[in-house]
Amino acid sequence: MSRLCKCALSLVVLLYVIIQVKCNARKSYTAAVYEHAVFTLPLAEIENKTVALSVMKQNLQVYETATAEAKKKGAEIIVFPEDGLYGFEFTREVFHYFTEDIPNPETQPGWNPCKDQHPGDPTNTPVQYWLSCMALNNSIYLVANVGDVKYCNVKSDKLCPADGRYQYNTNVVYDPEGRLVARYHKQNLFMGEKLKYNQPHQCEYTTFTTPFGKFGTFTCFDVLFREPPISLVENYGVDNVVFPTAWMDVLPLFASVEFHQAWAMGMGVNFLSANTHRASLRMHGSGIFTPQGAVVYTHDTTTEQGRLLVAKVPILKRTPIKSTYRPYKNMPLPTDHEAQTAIKFQAEVFSDLFDFVTLPKPSGSLTICQKAVCCQLNYTFEDSHSGGLYALGAFDGLHTREGQYYLQICTLLSCANSSTDSCGQPTNIAKSRFKNLSLSGIFNTKYIFPEFLTTDGTGHDLANGQWLYDDGMIKVNNTTVKPLLSATLFGRWYQRDNDFYLTGASARKSPMVLALNLVLYNVLFNLLY
């Protein structure tokens, strides 16, 4: 080999080493999420695709402004919310006007609407063209939620809907070159969605790889189930999640930012959550969350304005979830003195019947069990404890309201008033701060998601830096700045989701009554929302 060739080869090797070192040295990337106040029109005014496209264009113009602003702030990826281009108050027929036929990037790789299409061609996909160009012009990964349609033949396809088309709630991802790199059809449809969307025949596990990590995507209600979320992390090596959602807060356990942060912490991933913003329907709360908690979030309950969030996010190296749970064992019950002063009772939390015990003293140690779940609390109220009823609760059962999934939960919560009947009711009222606190539990599942929420009576605060989740335990070692609304170990026992028996209040309802309730809820949801 000549000296010149050896020199050239050495330079190539050196360049490779430099690139590898640079890549390995990178510690973070910059992400953006946009909480969007959707422009829409009344159902009666959407008469054709032309009107539907005019609605989507108004929302796309907001997306375009937000994307440009995010790029100026250094963002490398931006996420927009579920239903963000049109809203959700539609019949199946009207929603068809908002759909486009979006190809599968796995079978049609490199599809680039911005470069390959002319926007004026009616046979093309104008919304995909706009999204593709938005990503290309800003050199950014762009995630949006859209409607995908696939036409079928009712004679040859036994599963084909009667109207001859499948309609999907769909996430699309465009890369900085404007190429479609991911498409996901929502698997777990929420209540009224089933009237206008179809569930894919097989669950889709959608991922895409960037220079700053491997991403997975799923949508809103999906997050409560094993498939596809858990498999994306455990089987596909995803360390980042992009999450379009139209999330309606339900206190005390299902406030948007509370639950999304808990999922990031419980699964050890970065979680980019973009919510639709409609405060009148309790739809608010977006954020950028890491395994250590929120980097940035918004939970605006008072205005109807959208908001852009931009923050640096750590580049992660996936590690297995720690199996911190233990199988059921008998735990020590409260002492006789504590048993005499603490009140034991049952109350519903989002229709699930919890066993509770009150916190009777300024400090103490309490235990409450239900079936295989036992919850242990050690606590001390802050010196200026100003009253208010708090209760420690346990639940082990099949949740059946607005979906069916098996829960194992330990929760410490502020009751709405001085009556035990109010414990578990949605409330923003909390009167006490805790000087120290430790909440732990015994579960049958390793999938535990830690929630922590404080309040000043108006807004919700995740109390970053004031608590930690370690070895399956929520801990507070210094006084919380704001009164505690709730602290929860939210467990999901996925294997039991298909259990046919009902627990708690639902056990008193027959299957026929429950089925009728579901039908009525679907009708009311579409009439009201």
Side-chain angles (χ1 to χ4, degrees):
M1 183 180 293
S2 70
R3 181 178 296 179
L4 181 60
C5 289
K6 289 181 179 178
C7 184
L9 181 59
S10 297
L11 286 173
V12 170
V13 172
L14 179 61
L15 181 60
Y16 175 79
V17 170
I18 291 173
I19 291 173
Q20 289 299 109
V21 170
K22 186 176 180 180
C23 289
N24 292 334
R26 188 175 182 189
K27 301 297 183 182
S28 66
Y29 68 94
T30 303
V33 299
Y34 186 71
E35 181 162 308
H36 180 45
V38 184
F39 168 78
T40 189
L41 288 174
L43 180 65
E45 295 183 27
I46 304 173
E47 300 176 335
N48 50 50
K49 280 187 171 291
T50 300
V51 177
L53 184 59
S54 69
V55 169
M56 290 190 286
K57 282 185 175 180
Q58 291 206 46
N59 290 298
L60 283 165
Q61 287 171 347
V62 177
Y63 280 21
E64 196 165 50
T65 301
T67 302
E69 183 180 349
K71 184 62 180 181
K72 287 181 181 178
K73 295 181 178 181
E76 299 165 86
I77 185 168
I78 186 168
V79 186
F80 291 100
E82 182 183 24
D83 301 325
L85 292 179
Y86 33 73
F88 44 83
E89 302 93 339
F90 308 115
T91 62
R92 180 178 173 87
E93 181 61 35
V94 169
F95 182 73
H96 177 230
Y97 298 146
F98 292 94
T99 62
E100 294 180 343
D101 188 349
I102 305 167
N104 184 352
E106 293 184 2
T107 57
Q108 192 173 331
W111 187 61
N112 193 321
C114 190
K115 292 182 177 180
D116 300 341
Q117 292 187 171
H118 187 280
D121 187 342
T123 64
N124 289 328
T125 50
V127 173
Q128 300 310 303
Y129 172 85
W130 201 320
L131 293 171
S132 171
C133 290
M134 209 180 297
L136 175 63
N137 294 339
N138 292 281
S139 188
I140 194 171
Y141 284 91
L142 186 145
V143 184
N145 180 261
V146 298
D148 185 18
V149 63
K150 294 290 177 279
Y151 296 97
C152 53
N153 189 317
V154 294
K155 295 182 178 179
S156 59
D157 181 356
K158 294 181 180 180
L159 297 177
C160 181
D163 55 16
R165 61 182 184 268
Y166 296 102
Q167 297 180 174
Y168 298 110
N169 180 327
T170 307
N171 295 344
V172 292
V173 183
Y174 286 92
D175 73 6
E177 297 295 324
R179 294 172 298 220
L180 180 69
V181 294
R183 185 199 68 185
Y184 167 71
H185 294 143
K186 187 177 181 180
Q187 176 68 24
N188 301 285
L189 301 177
F190 179 75
M191 305 303 284
E193 282 190 300
K194 298 173 184 177
L195 301 179
K196 60 178 180 285
Y197 294 125
N198 297 102
Q199 185 183 58
H201 297 334
Q202 294 183 333
C203 184
E204 299 175 358
Y205 301 92
T206 302
T207 67
F208 60 100
T209 302
T210 73
F212 42 87
K214 187 172 184 179
F215 285 74
T217 186
F218 46 88
T219 312
C220 203
F221 199 42
D222 281 330
V223 76
L224 284 167
F225 299 91
R226 179 179 179 85
E227 307 302 337
I230 303 300
S231 287
L232 282 173
V233 176
E234 294 187 338
N235 301 331
Y236 291 83
V238 161
D239 46 25
N240 299 267
V241 171
V242 286
F243 184 69
T245 185
W247 191 282
M248 299 176 72
D249 277 0
V250 180
L251 289 170
L253 304 180
F254 291 98
S256 56
V257 293
E258 167 192 43
F259 194 84
H260 302 162
Q261 174 178 261
W263 207 90
M265 296 176 72
M267 293 304 296
V269 298
N270 295 323
F271 196 85
L272 314 184
S273 169
N275 200 2
T276 297
H277 186 87
R278 190 177 295 187
S280 60
L281 293 180
R282 305 192 314 277
M283 284 186 173
H284 34 53
S286 302
I288 297 173
F289 307 98
T290 75
Q292 286 69 49
V295 179
V296 63
Y297 69 96
T298 180
H299 195 263
D300 176 11
T301 63
T302 58
T303 74
E304 292 292 350
Q305 298 175 351
R307 184 177 175 186
L308 176 69
L309 302 175
V310 182
K312 285 191 177 298
V313 184
I315 293 176
L316 303 177
K317 292 184 179 180
R318 284 289 305 136
T319 56
I321 300 173
K322 294 181 180 179
S323 297
T324 55
Y325 76 106
R326 295 165 288 163
Y328 175 75
K329 295 179 182 177
N330 289 325
M331 292 183 66
L333 296 176
T335 65
D336 290 341
H337 176 69
E338 289 173 327
Q340 292 171 5
T341 56
I343 300 172
K344 294 181 181 179
F345 63 98
Q346 289 187 315
E348 288 191 359
V349 181
F350 198 30
S351 297
D352 295 325
L353 194 61
F354 279 60
D355 286 311
F356 280 105
V357 61
T358 58
L359 278 59
K361 301 185 301 181
S363 64
S365 177
L366 293 171
T367 301
I368 188 71
C369 302
Q370 185 180 100
K371 298 181 183 176
V373 172
C374 271
C375 309
Q376 175 73 46
L377 174 69
N378 295 292
Y379 71 95
T380 302
F381 283 109
E382 199 264 346
D383 291 340
S384 60
H385 171 49
S386 57
L389 182 63
Y390 281 82
L392 172 67
F395 178 74
D396 182 1
L398 189 69
H399 176 85
T400 58
R401 180 176 177 179
E402 298 179 5
Q404 178 169 296
Y405 38 90
Y406 202 99
L407 301 175
Q408 292 193 316
I409 294 175
C410 290
T411 186
L412 168 66
L413 52 79
S414 173
C415 304
N417 54 51
S418 59
S419 169
T420 56
D421 292 338
S422 73
C423 298
Q425 294 180 7
T427 181
N428 281 313
I429 298 173
K431 296 183 178 180
S432 297
R433 297 181 295 163
F434 285 79
K435 187 174 182 179
N436 57 64
L437 175 157
S438 65
L439 175 65
S440 61
I442 291 177
F443 307 90
N444 294 110
T445 176
K446 68 178 180 181
Y447 300 104
I448 308 297
F449 306 98
E451 301 182 344
F452 198 91
L453 203 61
T454 63
T455 183
D456 58 5
T458 55
H460 296 157
D461 192 334
L462 296 176
N464 290 353
Q466 300 172 48
W467 66 285
L468 60 86
Y469 178 60
D470 182 50
D471 196 28
M473 181 182 297
I474 290 176
K475 300 177 182 178
V476 172
N477 294 321
N478 293 296
T479 304
T480 53
V481 175
K482 296 179 181 178
L484 179 68
L485 197 58
S486 62
T488 304
L489 296 170
F490 187 102
R492 280 286 285 113
W493 195 357
Y494 298 108
Q495 293 91 328
R496 300 196 66 180
D497 282 0
N498 295 322
D499 284 0
F500 62 89
Y501 67 87
L502 305 177
T503 60
S506 299
R508 298 188 291 273
K509 301 176 183 178
S510 70
M512 182 175 294
V513 171
L514 289 170
L516 181 60
N517 286 345
L518 177 61
V519 172
L520 290 174
Y521 182 87
N522 281 335
V523 172
L524 288 172
F525 186 92
N526 281 274
L527 286 174
L528 294 173
Y529 304 143

